[in-house]
Amino acid sequence: MVIVSVTPEIAIDQLRTYAGGLGVLEGDKVITAGEMGLDYWALTLYYRQGYVRLKFNGTEPIAEPEKQSPSVLAKLQPWDEFTVTLKGEEVIIKPLVYTHKTAKVVFFEAVCPNWARALTDRVYMADTLENQFLVYALLAKASAAFIRDFIGLENVSVIDLEEAHTALLLMALNVEDRARIIIHTPGPWGHPSFPGGLIAREFGLFLGDNILLTDYALSKLRKGIVVSKKQEDVIKKLFAKHSSKIVSITNGVSLERWMDPRLYEAYNKNALSRELLISVRLDNRKKLASLLRNVKPELSADDKPVIAWTRRLARYKRPYFVARFIEENPDVEAVFVLGGKPHPKDFDGLGYARKFRDLHLKINHVVFLSDHDVPTARTVLQGSDYLLFTPFSGWEASGTSFMKALVNGVPVLSSRDGAALEVIEDNVTGWFFGTDIRDFINIYDDPRAKEVDENEYKEFKKKLLDLIDMYHSDKDKYWEVSLNSALKTPSKVDMRRVLHKYYLEAL
């Protein structure tokens, strides 16, 4: 069985070819697919200048391109070049192939002409609607040619289209009988629409004046997959006419990639004890403390709990909850690790970066890790004492950062959203606050959003203060929850379970 996944981004090794959670998730799939011996191909674009590297002038963020590591690039094997037609011109494509056991990632590099080469300089950075369309038309046409001429369409059992951006493949290759769309967000950025004239020019199909790609894909395919049970309810309401086609397979993580190897080995041998967990956690806390002191030499954690909020800086993830808490409780006995990047065109995200930077500069026990990548995330998620997971209810399709913390025995304080509802056991492996909202409230213009925020922040603040007090006054209870999280979570979030459902049960 040959499996193909077409994705706008992917995080493999230390390549800067991703913007956030989708890329990391797809990288986890590749790693686990290779470990399982699956014949798995992930097709994506090669972004020469990555995504965003934040620098600051005072508190003002400056979003710069990223640099690719030559040592990591050396792991990519160039395959034979081929051409596709875009804007009526031939574009030369060089496949760069990364191999992990039986799984491969194929990065399509646009070699020339220069205008095509510039399309994929950076992830999600197209400067016009036409160029945004051309990026994904390039991915679709390159994927179609590669499947047809390198893999062989006759060999392929299933093609997963990760997010609606990749649905243009359906216009480039006849794969409706074996393709599925995977919907990773209810947010509007995950459901782009493009002028029918552009589609007609590139694919010879006039489908209407403006085509919403999610709707188009669901109309053509037998199945759409969402990534948590709750999100199935939300997406069925947003795309009601296709509700019968929508099913859920909840996300997971690569335990090999994210779980401390000592805990992973003990878990697999059914030998994970409280003593081992405490030893490993304290060791990882020292590693995190070293990382934090490199950023802020004067920082001293002492016996304070280290509390992390590290996610993409976007409004629906509610970074303003932790920022407000810190401002209202400047003398609390805790260290806060903040991390994440905004999209350079996201006004809200840039504002959160300014706020986090301001807190970093003003308050000694706050550290902002602005260059938040996979190795940094692993250090934070293995070495913190609590993780905060705060999305606005109904907006988080799944989330995986909380899974990575829990498998390392780091308890989570979570809003009632995404896959957290399926994974966290309240007061056993973590804690919930807020309400479980199954309607999609528009956080940008619906007045209910502010009321929800105010009510949920009050509960969030109280619970976080209680957890800080628990860490100081009731270590037995703290370590009980930590051990529960390390023992109970891995079987729920193992990417092997996810891929089994995708490819061994669903087909």
Side-chain angles (χ1 to χ4, degrees):
M1 175 173 60
V2 176
I3 300 160
V4 174
S5 175
V6 185
T7 178
E9 55 171 306
I10 197 164
I12 282 290
D13 219 310
Q14 294 188 48
L15 281 168
R16 304 286 185 150
T17 50
Y18 68 100
L22 173 61
V24 177
L25 175 73
E26 294 310 304
D28 278 12
K29 287 181 181 177
V30 167
I31 290 169
T32 305
E35 297 297 325
M36 292 173 67
L38 297 177
D39 193 348
Y40 189 96
W41 299 73
L43 310 183
T44 191
L45 295 169
Y46 175 65
Y47 302 96
R48 294 173 196 82
Q49 298 180 53
Y51 180 53
V52 171
R53 183 173 184 268
L54 280 187
K55 287 189 174 181
F56 286 89
N57 181 9
T59 60
E60 190 60 31
I62 302 168
E64 297 184 342
E66 297 180 300
K67 293 182 178 179
Q68 302 289 2
S69 165
S71 63
V72 179
L73 291 179
K75 298 179 182 180
L76 303 182
Q77 181 68 38
W79 284 18
D80 290 346
E81 294 178 350
F82 61 92
T83 63
V84 299
T85 301
L86 206 62
K87 287 175 55 176
E89 296 184 43
E90 281 198 345
V91 176
I92 297 176
I93 303 294
K94 180 194 295 182
L96 302 170
V97 181
Y98 179 98
T99 300
H100 179 75
K101 298 186 177 180
T102 59
K104 291 182 172 61
V105 183
V106 182
F107 295 94
F108 298 122
E109 179 180 16
V111 177
C112 64
N114 285 334
W115 64 262
R117 186 176 177 86
L119 286 175
T120 57
D121 276 345
R122 297 171 70 187
V123 189
Y124 303 137
M125 295 291 175
D127 56 350
T128 66
L129 179 63
E130 180 179 8
N131 282 344
Q132 182 186 349
F133 169 77
L134 287 172
V135 169
Y136 299 109
L138 176 65
L139 176 58
K141 291 186 175 187
S143 297
F146 193 87
I147 291 169
R148 185 181 57 243
D149 299 334
F150 287 77
I151 301 175
L153 180 57
E154 68 279 5
N155 299 320
V156 176
S157 298
V158 61
I159 298 174
D160 280 337
L161 305 174
E162 310 292 342
E163 291 287 44
H165 304 74
T166 64
L168 294 175
L169 178 65
L170 300 174
M171 305 173 192
L173 193 65
N174 183 13
V175 293
E176 294 173 19
D177 61 332
R178 69 199 77 188
R180 309 175 297 190
I181 181 173
I182 317 299
I183 300 172
H184 292 274
T185 179
W189 52 84
H191 309 283
S193 59
F194 292 114
L198 290 177
I199 292 173
R201 186 187 76 191
E202 294 300 331
F203 297 100
L205 300 168
F206 184 73
L207 303 170
D209 293 333
N210 202 56
I211 305 304
L212 180 66
L213 288 187
T214 305
D215 187 68
Y216 171 78
L218 287 170
S219 72
K220 303 291 284 186
L221 302 175
R222 293 195 298 266
K223 184 181 293 186
I225 298 173
V226 297
V227 290
S228 72
K229 290 180 180 178
K230 175 174 178 176
Q231 199 58 205
E232 183 177 343
D233 289 347
V234 175
I235 294 297
K236 281 183 173 180
K237 291 176 182 177
L238 291 176
F239 296 93
K241 67 180 180 180
H242 304 298
S243 62
S244 64
K245 297 182 176 183
I246 295 169
V247 299
S248 61
I249 299 176
T250 301
N251 277 346
V253 299
S254 165
L255 298 180
E256 292 91 342
R257 191 183 201 184
W258 293 102
M259 194 171 181
D260 183 284
R262 293 163 290 183
L263 298 180
Y264 185 53
E265 180 182 12
Y267 175 81
N268 284 330
K269 293 180 178 178
N270 206 22
L272 209 170
S273 66
R274 172 171 167 157
E275 292 72 27
L276 175 64
L277 175 64
I278 292 175
S279 173
V280 170
R281 282 279 313 281
L282 293 179
D283 183 44
N284 286 333
R285 181 184 161 98
K286 290 177 183 177
K287 293 175 183 176
L288 175 58
S290 176
L291 169 68
L292 299 181
R293 283 194 296 271
N294 286 337
V295 178
K296 201 168 193 177
E298 68 273 20
L299 180 74
S300 176
D302 297 326
D303 192 37
K304 299 174 183 177
V306 178
I307 302 170
W309 190 103
T310 51
R311 307 206 68 203
R312 183 163 56 87
L313 296 182
R315 182 188 289 196
Y316 81 93
K317 296 180 184 291
R318 298 197 292 194
Y320 47 88
F321 267 34
V322 67
R324 179 176 171 182
F325 181 91
I326 293 169
E327 289 185 313
E328 291 180 357
N329 303 275
D331 299 321
V332 72
E333 290 294 307
V335 171
F336 289 89
V337 180
L338 311 177
K341 301 178 183 181
H343 190 285
K345 295 182 181 179
D346 180 2
F347 177 81
D348 290 328
L350 292 170
Y352 304 137
R354 293 185 191 97
K355 172 58 70 174
F356 280 7
R357 176 66 174 174
D358 182 58
L359 293 171
H360 171 98
L361 293 173
K362 289 181 177 178
I363 301 178
N364 182 57
H365 57 272
V366 177
V367 182
F368 178 30
L369 303 175
S370 57
D371 191 22
H372 189 250
D373 56 11
V374 168
T376 301
R378 189 161 43 233
T379 301
V380 171
L381 294 169
Q382 291 180 353
S384 297
D385 297 301
Y386 294 109
L387 179 75
L388 305 177
F389 184 74
T390 59
F392 192 99
S393 191
W395 278 73
E396 186 66 68
S398 170
T400 58
S401 60
F402 71 89
M403 300 178 186
K404 297 160 189 169
L406 290 170
V407 299
N408 285 289
V410 176
V412 178
L413 175 60
S414 174
S415 59
R416 287 180 164 86
D417 205 25
L421 292 164
E422 301 169 56
V423 175
I424 296 173
E425 297 179 40
D426 199 18
N427 294 312
V428 177
T429 63
W431 303 270
F432 283 115
F433 70 91
T435 53
D436 179 1
I437 301 172
R438 303 268 166 157
D439 293 319
F440 190 67
I441 295 176
N442 191 323
I443 57 177
Y444 296 97
D445 59 20
D446 192 321
R448 292 178 295 171
K450 185 175 182 180
E451 181 180 354
V452 169
D453 271 351
E454 284 301 313
N455 290 334
E456 295 199 354
Y457 175 76
K458 292 175 185 177
E459 187 181 357
F460 166 79
K461 177 180 178 179
K462 181 182 184 305
K463 289 207 170 185
L464 184 50
L465 287 171
D466 288 344
L467 295 179
I468 293 170
D469 180 67
M470 174 196 291
Y471 186 87
H472 288 293
S473 63
D474 193 353
K475 281 288 178 61
D476 281 343
K477 177 62 175 177
Y478 174 79
W479 286 114
E480 175 189 327
V481 177
S482 295
L483 181 60
N484 285 339
S485 69
L487 288 172
K488 289 173 169 284
T489 306
S491 63
K492 296 180 180 180
V493 304
D494 191 342
M495 185 60 81
R496 285 175 173 79
R497 171 195 59 79
V498 179
L499 297 189
H500 197 277
K501 287 183 176 292
Y502 266 96
Y503 306 118
L504 304 178
E505 293 181 19
L507 295 181

